Amino acid sequence: MRLRSSSQLPEMVPGQFVQVKVDHSPSTYLRRPISINMVDYEKNELLLLIAAVGEGTRQLVRLQPGERVNCLYPLGNGFTMPSSPKENCLLIGGGVGTAPLLFLGRRIAEMGAQPTFLLGARTSSELLEKDMFRKYGELYLTTEDGSEGESGFVTGHSILRQKRFDRIATCGPKPMMLSVARYAKRENITCEVSLENDMACGLGACLCCVENTTEGHICVCKKGPVLNIKKLLWPL
């Protein structure tokens, strides 16, 4: 979804998200949290990558050019940028979890570095925005059915054995991120994950998205959604 704002877009960082109001859907009471996929400040446009998995998101993808959408943005905290262009950054995404990694990859490329993207999906048709990712770095792919790239899961890709990375950013299904986090801990690599806890308000008021961490219970929408794996109480 490409949204053009009537006012100047504020500064946004990769990993932040938008709370989108869903109109004309009587069964959808809450806004939908959607990761920021890309920002085009020259055109004053915001890009969101939306999977139509429920009534709310199905209604959003039915919108036509010219219709208005009510959004709260930017919300949450984003990924930590590398301290130097010399850092080898690996950006791992699964499904629509690849969305914030495109914006992050562009920002890293603007530093003069070349990020490595590793994207996974069940089948080739679910590998999204491949040409856009290739604009900013090296792209490697996996599919569970072997229809494109290497067969299997992202954490089994050969690039992980061929190249040493200094920093990992990942977003996608929790089992995938858990596997990536275990790899990062084992290899002593700095790793941040973008959590996809259920959210309601997006502002830290409803306590719907609470995650238990080394710092206690936190609202992912306010303290996250991006967190360093050292703060998580995951079984690593």
Side-chain angles (χ1 to χ4, degrees), residues 1-3 24 58-69:
M1 177 179 288
R2 186 181 298 270
L3 301 174
H24 313 300
R58 284 196 292 268
Q59 179 60 33
L60 288 176
V61 301
R62 295 188 191 110
L63 293 173
Q64 299 299 310
E67 292 191 63
R68 290 184 176 272
V69 182

Side-chain angles (χ1 to χ4, degrees), residues 155-224:
T155 46
H157 198 284
S158 59
I159 190 63
L160 301 180
R161 299 184 295 275
Q162 298 169 4
K163 189 173 181 179
R164 171 68 188 181
F165 296 98
D166 304 304
R167 180 181 295 275
I168 295 175
T170 184
C171 183
K174 185 174 179 179
M176 184 210 77
M177 292 196 294
L178 180 59
S179 183
V180 171
R182 287 171 174 163
Y183 163 79
K185 182 179 181 181
R186 185 172 66 249
E187 299 296 325
N188 195 28
I189 301 172
T190 299
C191 181
E192 291 182 327
V193 301
S194 180
L195 301 181
E196 296 186 329
N197 296 32
D198 290 336
M199 294 183 187
C201 71
L203 302 172
C206 68
L207 306 181
C208 179
C209 62
V210 168
E211 178 82 15
N212 192 17
T213 72
T214 57
E215 300 176 353
H217 291 85
I218 66 167
C219 289
V220 169
C221 63
K222 290 288 286 186
K223 297 292 186 178

Side-chain angles (χ1 to χ4, degrees), residues 32-236:
R32 291 296 182 261
I34 308 292
S35 294
I36 295 172
N37 183 215
M38 184 60 75
V39 183
D40 188 332
Y41 289 103
E42 291 185 1
K43 296 181 179 179
N44 213 36
E45 291 181 343
L46 175 67
L47 276 67
L48 306 178
L49 190 61
I50 300 174
V53 295
E55 178 53 35
T57 48
R58 284 196 292 268
Q59 179 60 33
L60 288 176
V61 301
R62 295 188 191 110
L63 293 173
Q64 299 299 310
E67 292 191 63
R68 290 184 176 272
V69 182
N70 185 297
C71 299
L72 293 175
Y73 64 91
L75 301 175
N77 296 301
F79 290 100
T80 302
M81 294 297 294
S83 59
S84 165
K86 295 182 180 180
E87 285 192 36
N88 286 326
C89 298
L90 176 63
L91 282 54
I92 303 180
V96 291
T98 61
L101 302 182
L102 182 64
F103 189 20
L104 177 59
R106 190 189 80 179
R107 284 290 177 87
I108 293 174
E110 289 172 348
M111 294 179 59
Q114 185 182 47
T116 299
F117 299 105
L118 176 54
L119 310 183
R122 288 176 296 183
T123 188
S124 60
S125 62
E126 297 179 4
L127 291 168
L128 308 172
E129 303 183 310
K130 290 178 289 185
D131 290 340
M132 297 179 72
F133 278 103
R134 289 191 179 100
K135 288 174 57 178
Y136 304 114
E138 293 183 319
L139 177 62
Y140 297 89
L141 305 171
T142 67
T143 49
E144 294 178 30
D145 63 1
S147 55
E148 188 169 357
E150 294 189 10
S151 178
F153 301 111
V154 288
T155 46
H157 198 284
S158 59
I159 190 63
L160 301 180
R161 299 184 295 275
Q162 298 169 4
K163 189 173 181 179
R164 171 68 188 181
F165 296 98
D166 304 304
R167 180 181 295 275
I168 295 175
T170 184
C171 183
K174 185 174 179 179
M176 184 210 77
M177 292 196 294
L178 180 59
S179 183
V180 171
R182 287 171 174 163
Y183 163 79
K185 182 179 181 181
R186 185 172 66 249
E187 299 296 325
N188 195 28
I189 301 172
T190 299
C191 181
E192 291 182 327
V193 301
S194 180
L195 301 181
E196 296 186 329
N197 296 32
D198 290 336
M199 294 183 187
C201 71
L203 302 172
C206 68
L207 306 181
C208 179
C209 62
V210 168
E211 178 82 15
N212 192 17
T213 72
T214 57
E215 300 176 353
H217 291 85
I218 66 167
C219 289
V220 169
C221 63
K222 290 288 286 186
K223 297 292 186 178
V226 177
L227 293 173
N228 191 296
I229 61 171
K230 291 182 178 180
K231 294 184 178 181
L232 297 173
L233 298 179
W234 290 0
L236 304 180

